[in-house]
Amino acid sequence: MPLETNNPKRKSWVTVPDNSDFPIQNIPFGVFLTKEDVITIGTRIGDYAIDLGALQQLHYFEGIELTDDMFMQDTLNDFISDGKKTWRLVRSRIGDIFDSNNPKLRDNKEHRDIIIFKMEDVEMQLPVLIGDYTDFYSSKEHATNLGKMFRDPENALLPNWLHIPVGYHGRSSTIVPSGIPVHRPMGQTLPNGESTPVFGPSRLVDFELETAFITTDANIMGENIAINEAEDYIFGMVLLNDWSARDIQKWEYVPLGPFLAKNFASSISPWIVTMDALEPFKTKGPIQEPMPLPYLQQKGKHTYDINLEVYIEPENVAPSLVSKSNFKYMYWTMSQQLAHHTSNGCRVNSGDMMGSGTISGPTPDSFGSMLELTWGGKNPIKMNDGSERKFINDNDTVIMKGYCQNSTVRLGFGEVSSKLLPPFVRK
């Protein structure tokens, strides 16, 4: 049964610009800091941030079982722990409050002044306390491209890739929200033709176009999650720039995979778009051959039609579009990733984050990293000012955008934007 909150005919009394990522059908969740240095959980409609803590204090959530301070915290973890029933009730109530036909808040200026802020007057924060972070490697096109570059082009995929959602455990301490700059990392690299490594700044810093999903408390240790139940434990999605230092990675990744080349920074968009909001954009994913083992088998629509874009903005220069991809190209679904992750009894908690892995499409302009777009630096990309990029230069800003659009509604994630600074220098 379709959710009324997703009704494409619904309008809000809050002004929503054309092509906004945040119509009343979205209602994402995030955390922001006001000018008065008050931190609160909120949502967004158009170009306005809405203080859910103030809404709760003013009794707009009466009838929904919530702890008294549910939205007056500095993370969404407790709210996410309350589960899907509560998420739906709250999202539905917000939709009702801001419906163009509901005068209760619309006609109460005193309450509006307490609850609604212009986006430029708030500072977005990390929306959840991320206890654990897992990064998958689930784009067949991306894995194939890397296999062609670094291994046997005739056998680009490793034997396990078509059977399991390959992943590794990342570092949650360096996940930052959009707008926080990132330093070029230092590390060991092996110069071409040399047998002894050197230590210094990475020369091959790259972006990775990804999304990530945020989980609720899913299981106890030793318990697995069935594939047909996995979607119930996914709260929502964000955009993810999973920064990568390719030269450091090349030297260190054998035998245990990524380490310092990946854990220096991962940037995410600040608004979590719920799976309920994305429901109208569900679609079928690629055919999986060979058929996965029974615990990973799915039928029907289990992925999402999310348009993705990457821009590089050199300092004082207009951004250049370098990639256009789509989440629907992903070979392994989020449900399969979560089911596999817990198949051995691994515990998953509220606020855990699971990265999709680089999302590359079938055409060269849809590749999800500079490594692929420039084919290892052999084919530089021209910027709007005529300069070229093989990888990311100091003081470049990488901007990722994502949105869904059908014949009736457009909604999206906003953006994740972060600037690459020179290496950190201790004073």
Side-chain angles (χ1 to χ4, degrees):
M1 182 176 175
L3 298 169
E4 178 58 29
T5 321
N6 294 346
N7 184 345
K9 295 181 179 179
R10 175 175 258 179
K11 303 290 183 185
S12 175
W13 50 262
V14 174
T15 301
V16 178
D18 290 342
N19 291 322
S20 171
D21 281 356
F22 302 101
I24 194 171
Q25 290 81 10
N26 192 339
I27 310 180
F29 291 88
V31 174
F32 61 82
L33 187 68
T34 70
K35 276 186 173 178
E36 290 75 34
D37 286 333
V38 175
I39 196 162
T40 186
I41 288 170
T43 188
R44 177 174 177 175
I45 296 178
D47 294 330
Y48 294 90
I50 293 153
D51 184 343
L52 298 184
L55 269 179
Q56 184 177 8
Q57 286 180 302
L58 293 167
H59 310 296
Y60 282 86
F61 292 120
E62 276 190 352
I64 302 175
E65 287 189 24
L66 299 169
T67 56
D68 291 342
D69 66 342
M70 178 62 81
F71 296 121
M72 288 164 270
Q73 303 183 38
D74 57 4
T75 74
L76 280 158
N77 292 59
D78 281 358
F79 175 60
I80 295 172
S81 285
D82 262 17
K84 196 168 187 174
K85 180 181 176 182
T86 299
W87 313 336
R88 279 190 172 168
L89 287 170
V90 167
R91 184 168 169 266
S92 176
R93 180 66 59 84
I94 295 168
D96 292 343
I97 292 166
F98 289 92
D99 188 294
S100 58
N101 296 315
N102 188 343
K104 185 175 180 182
L105 178 59
R106 183 193 68 195
D107 297 346
N108 189 330
K109 184 178 185 304
E110 182 183 351
H111 282 191
R112 288 202 318 271
D113 290 344
I114 297 169
I115 290 166
I116 302 173
F117 299 83
K118 292 179 180 178
M119 279 303 302
E120 59 261 35
D121 293 336
V122 303
E123 182 181 313
M124 297 305 299
Q125 309 291 300
L126 207 61
V128 289
L129 177 63
I130 301 167
D132 280 300
Y133 164 45
T134 300
D135 190 33
F136 286 94
Y137 184 58
S138 290
S139 163
K140 187 177 181 180
E141 289 81 2
H142 175 67
T144 301
N145 287 338
L146 267 60
K148 287 178 179 177
M149 264 189 257
F150 300 123
R151 290 190 299 275
D152 176 7
E154 298 302 314
N155 296 284
L157 291 178
L158 290 170
N160 65 351
W161 200 92
L162 293 170
H163 296 276
I164 59 172
V166 173
Y168 75 97
H169 295 288
R171 181 86 181 157
S172 61
S173 62
T174 41
I175 298 172
V176 294
S178 178
I180 302 297
V182 167
H183 284 280
R184 181 178 294 273
M186 306 287 285
Q188 282 195 28
T189 60
L190 184 67
N192 288 336
E194 300 294 327
S195 58
T196 303
V198 298
F199 182 81
S202 167
R203 295 176 180 272
L204 308 180
V205 175
D206 200 354
F207 66 79
E208 289 190 348
L209 171 61
E210 300 194 27
T211 62
F213 65 87
I214 309 297
T215 65
T216 186
D217 302 288
N219 60 340
I220 58 174
M221 185 173 171
E223 178 186 25
N224 60 43
I225 296 172
I227 185 72
N228 60 342
E229 297 174 1
E231 290 179 6
D232 291 338
Y233 299 102
I234 299 174
F235 173 65
M237 295 175 67
V238 294
L239 302 175
L240 166 64
N241 178 4
D242 197 23
W243 295 92
S244 184
R246 300 298 183 185
D247 44 357
I248 296 173
Q249 187 171 354
K250 184 179 179 182
W251 171 238
E252 74 177 5
Y253 86 99
V254 176
L256 293 182
F259 186 39
L260 301 184
K262 301 289 292 178
N263 70 7
F264 65 96
S266 300
S267 304
I268 66 171
S269 54
W271 294 106
I272 303 175
V273 178
T274 65
M275 304 318 297
D276 275 351
L278 294 169
E279 184 72 20
F281 305 96
K282 266 191 165 180
T283 188
K284 287 187 175 182
I287 295 171
Q288 295 183 327
E289 289 287 349
M291 184 179 287
L293 293 175
Y295 79 102
L296 292 174
Q297 288 176 13
Q298 287 181 294
K299 292 181 180 179
K301 298 178 179 180
H302 293 284
T303 191
Y304 297 84
D305 185 1
I306 305 171
N307 300 289
L308 300 167
E309 300 172 343
V310 186
Y311 298 80
I312 295 176
E313 182 180 13
E315 210 161 30
N316 302 316
V317 176
S320 298
L321 176 65
V322 297
S323 177
K324 291 183 75 171
S325 191
N326 194 297
F327 182 77
K328 69 184 178 184
Y329 298 138
M330 296 299 289
Y331 187 85
W332 294 104
T333 69
M334 292 181 287
S335 296
Q336 289 174 319
Q337 290 170 339
L338 186 56
H340 181 65
H341 200 312
T342 63
S343 61
N344 66 344
C346 175
R347 185 176 175 186
V348 169
N349 298 310
S350 173
D352 285 356
M353 187 174 105
M354 314 276 178
S356 61
T358 303
I359 303 170
S360 291
T363 57
D365 63 346
S366 64
F367 294 164
S369 67
M370 292 296 281
L371 181 65
E372 297 164 90
L373 289 165
T374 69
W375 210 252
K378 294 176 183 176
N379 308 310
I381 296 175
K382 274 203 171 181
M383 300 289 102
N384 285 330
D385 63 350
S387 64
E388 293 185 336
R389 293 293 184 278
K390 296 180 179 179
F391 289 89
I392 307 302
N393 288 0
D394 287 347
N395 299 311
D396 285 347
T397 298
V398 177
I399 303 163
M400 295 179 178
K401 300 180 180 183
Y403 65 93
C404 305
Q405 189 161 15
N406 57 28
S407 59
T408 53
V409 172
R410 173 201 155 102
L411 61 83
F413 296 80
E415 65 179 35
V416 54
S417 170
S418 41
K419 189 174 189 177
L420 181 65
L421 300 180
F424 177 83
V425 177
R426 185 175 293 280
K427 296 178 182 178

